Amino acid sequence: MKKLFLIFTLISVIGCQTNQKPDKETVLKMINNDLNYPRTIDYEILCSDPAHAKKLLDLKLDEKGMVTIYKTQKLKDIGSPLISFNKAAQPYLIKPTEKEKRLDIQKVKIAEETIGNIKLGNRSESNGKTSIPVTYTVICTNITPFSVLMKRDFSKPIDRSTTLRFTNGKWKLIKP
C-alpha cells in the first residue's frame, strides 16, 4: 500500500512539474518556430502590367531611383516588361522562381516582421485542458523604400494573440 501511495505521489509531482507555466523565452521560441518569425513581408510587381507601372509612377518610385518605367511601347513590344529595377533597388529584390521569370513577376522586400514583446495571461482550465492566453507584439524592421506599395504604417507595432494548450504532456501553440 505504501509503494502504491509513493508511486501515486511521484506521478502527481512529476505531472505538476511538466504542467507548469512556460517561461517567455520558451514561448518566444514556440511562436518563432510555429508561426515562422522572423519573416519577410514581400510584394509582387507584375512588370508587364500597365496598372502596376502606373502605381509605381504615382508613388514616385521612379523619381527615387528605384525603377525605370517605360511609358510608351511600340506594337512589337506589347507584352514585354514596362518596369525595370535600377541598381538602387537590387538589395530589396527577391530572386524570382522560373515561373515568376516567365510571367515577368518580381517580388520586392517591404519589411521584416519580428516578435517584440510577449505577455502570458492567467492559466485557465476548461474540459480538463489547461490553456494560457498569449499576447505578442509584431514589430516591423528593415523597412524598405518599397513599403509605400502597401497601405500600412509599418512604424506601428501590431498586437496579436494566440493560446498555449497543454496536450499530451507538452505545451502546444494553437495557431490563430
Side-chain angles (χ1 to χ4, degrees):
M1 189 69 172
K2 284 184 179 180
K3 288 182 182 181
L4 185 61
F5 178 73
L6 265 159
I7 291 172
F8 178 72
T9 305
L10 184 62
I11 290 172
S12 64
V13 168
I14 291 171
C16 289
Q17 288 176 346
T18 57
N19 197 0
Q20 289 179 349
K21 190 175 184 178
D23 62 359
K24 287 184 180 182
E25 193 173 303
T26 304
V27 174
L28 176 63
K29 287 179 185 176
M30 290 172 74
I31 291 173
N32 283 338
N33 291 337
D34 293 354
L35 301 178
N36 301 318
Y37 284 98
R39 59 180 157 191
T40 300
I41 302 171
D42 60 37
Y43 188 90
E44 281 187 356
I45 297 175
L46 305 175
C47 298
S48 298
D49 187 353
H52 279 243
K54 183 178 180 341
K55 184 173 186 173
L56 295 175
L57 278 171
D58 292 345
L59 295 171
K60 301 187 183 332
L61 285 170
D62 59 330
E63 292 175 15
K64 294 177 184 175
M66 294 289 140
V67 295
T68 300
I69 300 171
Y70 305 100
K71 296 172 187 151
T72 59
Q73 281 188 329
K74 295 180 180 171
L75 195 54
K76 67 177 182 165
D77 296 331
I78 290 178
S80 62
L82 297 169
I83 303 164
S84 65
F85 295 88
N86 297 335
K87 196 171 191 171
Q90 295 304 313
Y92 314 117
L93 301 180
I94 298 172
K95 186 176 179 178
T97 63
E98 288 301 318
K99 183 179 180 183
E100 290 169 339
K101 283 181 187 178
R102 280 193 317 274
L103 298 173
D104 291 324
I105 296 172
Q106 177 62 61
K107 287 185 180 180
V108 293
K109 292 179 187 175
I110 301 294
E112 290 179 14
E113 287 183 327
T114 57
I115 304 298
N117 188 21
I118 295 176
K119 294 178 188 171
L120 299 176
N122 293 325
R123 184 179 175 149
S124 64
E125 291 202 29
S126 172
N127 298 332
K129 294 184 179 181
T130 305
S131 61
I132 299 172
V134 178
T135 305
Y136 59 97
T137 305
V138 178
I139 299 170
C140 289
T141 58
N142 300 326
I143 301 167
T144 74
F146 289 102
S147 65
V148 295
L149 291 166
M150 297 179 81
K151 295 180 182 178
R152 175 178 160 193
D153 185 359
F154 291 99
S155 64
K156 293 183 180 178
I158 299 171
D159 289 328
R160 296 203 173 130
S161 60
T162 187
T163 304
L164 285 176
R165 186 163 293 141
F166 192 74
T167 312
N168 298 328
K170 292 181 181 179
W171 286 103
K172 293 186 181 179
L173 190 71
I174 306 302
K175 294 184 182 181

